[in-house]
């Protein structure tokens, strides 16, 4: 059985094509999950809406707790890390991460950055060896293959690999950097463009992205073969 973790970072609550002014990135993530479950209904999905319920920003209490050895933490420290522990547990338990992230000012929205900060945890998702001067930080989630699917929406166009504006897109590369740090190595990227242009350009980009999602689901399901429960 494959376990999916479905995250949406858009503050728009609805989905494009279903709700007025709905989110394009949510349309892609829901389409991915619907296509996956249609073929593999036994697989589980954990959903977290970062746009509706943003994770907490890190504060001094969080930092003090995270860098205190587990055996020395007080009750208050464990409470300060409780939200992070829940988010980390979801990532550890997932085989496929479905990340719906709109492009805001050439990167991702603040709630997604808050999620990244909560899940990059010393002793839980990363290790630190000060004696290794070349590579002191090591991943702890490289115990098995995990797939990360980055489903994005962009107001402009030409922001994908090879595009005229690609050098200004800091979303996918930043996501890969953070998740590679904790041990996730397999990435897939699909984006809708032309939201600002609208019209046929936008509709064509939506159609193409939905087809790419369906093709990716089929391909990933040949990798994530069902196992006995």
């Amino acid at each position: 059985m494959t376990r999916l973790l479905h995250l949406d970072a858009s503050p728009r609550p609805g989905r494009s094509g279903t709700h007025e002014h709905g989110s394009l990135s949510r349309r892609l993530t829901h389409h991915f999950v619907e296509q996956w479950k249609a073929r593999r209904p036994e697989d589980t999905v954990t959903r977290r809406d970062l746009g509706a319920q943003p994770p907490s920003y890190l504060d001094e209490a969080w930092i003090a707790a995270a860098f205190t050895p587990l055996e020395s933490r007080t009750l208050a420290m464990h409470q300060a890390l409780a939200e992070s522990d829940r988010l980390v547990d979801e990532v550890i338990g997932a085989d496929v991460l479905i990340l719906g992230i709109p492009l805001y000012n050439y990167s991702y929205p603040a709630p997604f950055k808050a999620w990244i900060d909560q899940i990059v945890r010393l002793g839980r998702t990363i290790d630190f060896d000060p004696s290794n001067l070349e590579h002191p930080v090591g991943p702890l989630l490289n115990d098995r293959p995990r797939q990360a699917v980055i489903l994005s929406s962009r107001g402009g166009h030409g922001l994908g690999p090879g595009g005229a504006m690609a050098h200004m897109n800091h979303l996918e590369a930043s996501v890969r950097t953070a998740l590679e740090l904790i041990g996730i190595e397999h990435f897939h990227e699909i984006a809708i463009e032309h939201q600002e242009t609208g019209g046929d350009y936008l509709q064509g980009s939506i159609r193409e992205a939905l087809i790419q999602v369906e093709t990716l689901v089929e391909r990933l399901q040949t990798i994530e073969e069902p196992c006995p429960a």
Side-chain angles (χ1 to χ4, degrees), residues 126-159:
I126 60 170
D127 192 19
F128 180 74
D129 180 5
S131 66
N132 186 341
L133 298 181
E134 188 173 357
H135 300 291
V137 178
L140 294 179
L141 299 194
N142 54 358
D143 55 317
R144 68 175 191 273
R146 289 178 174 84
Q147 310 286 334
V149 180
I150 304 172
L151 302 175
S152 186
S153 56
R154 307 165 182 160
H157 63 281
L159 288 149

Side-chain angles (χ1 to χ4, degrees), residues 49-57 83 110-111 114:
D49 194 331
L50 305 177
Q53 295 180 309
S56 303
Y57 296 141
E83 179 184 12

Side-chain angles (χ1 to χ4, degrees), residues 111-188:
F112 188 82
K113 179 60 166 65
W115 178 77
I116 289 289
D117 290 342
Q118 291 280 0
I119 67 163
V120 179
R121 275 275 303 280
L122 184 65
R124 296 225 56 198
T125 59
I126 60 170
D127 192 19
F128 180 74
D129 180 5
S131 66
N132 186 341
L133 298 181
E134 188 173 357
H135 300 291
V137 178
L140 294 179
L141 299 194
N142 54 358
D143 55 317
R144 68 175 191 273
R146 289 178 174 84
Q147 310 286 334
V149 180
I150 304 172
L151 302 175
S152 186
S153 56
R154 307 165 182 160
H157 63 281
L159 288 149
M165 301 281 284
H167 65 286
M168 298 183 68
N169 179 2
H170 304 287
L171 190 155
E172 286 88 350
S174 182
V175 174
R176 290 196 305 271
T177 298
L179 296 185
E180 285 172 349
L181 183 68
I182 67 176
I184 297 174
E185 300 176 347
H186 306 283
F187 295 88
H188 315 271

Side-chain angles (χ1 to χ4, degrees), residues 10 45-46 62 71 89 135 140 149 171 197 211 217 220 225:
S10 174
V45 180
T46 298
W62 190 102
E71 63 275 9
D89 287 343
H135 300 291
L140 294 179
V149 180
L171 190 155
T197 311
I211 292 171
V217 167
L220 287 181
E225 292 294 340

